[in-house]
Amino acid sequence: ENVTKTFGTKKALDHVTINIPSARTHVLLGSSGSGKSTIIRILIGVLRADSGIVKINGNIGYVPQDGGLFPHLTARDNVSLVAETLGWKKQKIDARIDELLQLTSLDPALLSRFPKQLSGGQRQRVSLMRASFLDPALLILDEPLGALDPIIRNDVQNELKSIFNALKKTVLMVTHDIDEARFFGHALTLLRDGHVVQTGTFEDLRDTPADPFVTKFIQAQRTFE
Ligand code: ADP
Ligand code: MG
């Protein structure tokens, strides 16, 4: 609510207000530099807003922009790291890993690999397993599919959407891709230069744009329709 964040003289966020309803996927959409990652970094607590109010109902699981897996740990150790730190018993950890393997349809044999021995899509699934491990109320993903090639991206989009549906979680997902935003988002918030331009469904943005920029942003990327 009314969140402002300045870096030096650069206003990265200017009175940003966003409401993220539970058990839905909300997409933050905007060009590079519009403030998407800054919002997320404030939500997860690595940055502090200069002013405004941030309220979060429950714990957060976070999938960073590049997956953020530790390169020196196997997939299994990446996934179980937080639970290990919290002192979970091995049996409980193994049971949770089994659940998450099923959920993400990841081949169990891949767990002994290091991140660099996995494909981009597999790394994303491992990162999602790690973020989901403690059953967070809110799952935040920063451009989760940005690094994938278009064909794999399409597959992973479909899988990811069914995982979100299965988890019934509140999901906040960042993308700069309007098609991806439409595919995932029950609601979209379009940002421009640290301002919220509009929040609504894809159809709201398309049919009743709050600003000419909304139409420009949508049309600039609609090359196949
Ligand atoms: P996005 O994720 O939408 O690409 P960011 O939230 O990363 O955008 O950045 C928003 C603006 O804030 C950009 O102009 C960026 O250069 C600036 N910015 C972000 N983080 C920092 C920082 N730590 N120091 C200085 N400027 C920053
Ligand atoms: Mg970013």
Side-chain angles (χ1 to χ4, degrees):
E1 201 179 317
N2 265 317
V3 168
T4 295
K5 178 72 192 176
T6 305
F7 296 108
T9 54
K10 169 84 199 170
K11 231 177 204 178
L13 299 178
D14 192 5
H15 295 90
V16 166
T17 297
I18 303 174
N19 180 36
I20 301 165
S22 62
R24 289 270 187 279
T25 297
H26 195 104
V27 171
L28 283 182
L29 182 66
S31 309
S32 180
S34 57
K36 305 181 298 293
S37 293
T38 302
I39 290 174
I40 285 189
R41 293 169 69 212
I42 288 170
L43 285 173
I44 65 173
V46 298
L47 268 184
R48 208 181 152 84
D50 299 335
S51 58
I53 299 170
V54 180
K55 290 184 203 156
I56 297 157
N57 193 3
N59 57 337
I60 297 177
Y62 172 51
V63 179
Q65 192 151 1
D66 57 356
L69 296 176
F70 294 108
H72 61 294
L73 296 180
T74 62
R76 172 180 286 272
D77 289 344
N78 265 285
V79 166
S80 61
L81 185 64
V82 176
E84 300 265 8
T85 309
L86 293 174
W88 283 31
K89 295 262 174 346
K90 186 179 179 310
Q91 207 180 3
K92 192 176 167 196
I93 290 178
D94 288 346
R96 181 63 179 148
I97 287 178
D98 283 345
E99 273 175 17
L100 291 167
L101 280 171
Q102 286 201 4
L103 199 69
T104 57
S105 9
L106 189 80
D107 176 358
L110 298 177
L111 283 180
S112 58
R113 294 200 189 171
F114 289 91
K116 68 168 188 291
Q117 301 169 312
L118 299 169
S119 73
Q122 290 163 348
R123 272 200 294 274
Q124 278 307 332
R125 263 168 277 190
V126 172
S127 188
L128 185 63
M129 282 176 70
R130 186 176 66 182
S132 308
F133 206 89
L134 300 181
D135 201 19
L138 172 63
L139 200 54
I140 297 182
L141 304 96
D142 195 353
E143 308 230 13
L145 308 171
L148 304 183
D149 79 55
I151 294 172
I152 296 178
R153 188 173 174 139
N154 206 280
D155 287 346
V156 181
Q157 276 179 344
N158 284 306
E159 287 169 17
L160 206 54
K161 193 170 176 178
S162 44
I163 294 169
F164 292 166
N165 287 338
L167 286 169
K168 294 190 177 64
K169 293 246 175 277
T170 308
V171 176
L172 179 64
M173 183 170 162
V174 170
T175 183
H176 59 264
D177 183 314
I178 183 74
D179 286 317
E180 195 160 279
R182 180 188 196 176
F183 180 72
F184 282 102
H186 294 102
L188 282 51
T189 292
L190 176 63
L191 293 161
R192 182 191 198 186
D193 292 338
H195 292 269
V196 172
V197 184
Q198 187 168 3
T199 293
T201 62
F202 173 81
E203 288 72 24
D204 290 338
L205 271 63
R206 185 190 59 196
D207 301 337
T208 50
D211 182 291
F213 176 76
V214 178
T215 307
K216 205 173 145 199
F217 190 91
I218 290 176
Q219 286 180 351
Q221 292 188 28
R222 314 238 85 225
T223 45
F224 300 113
E225 270 188 2

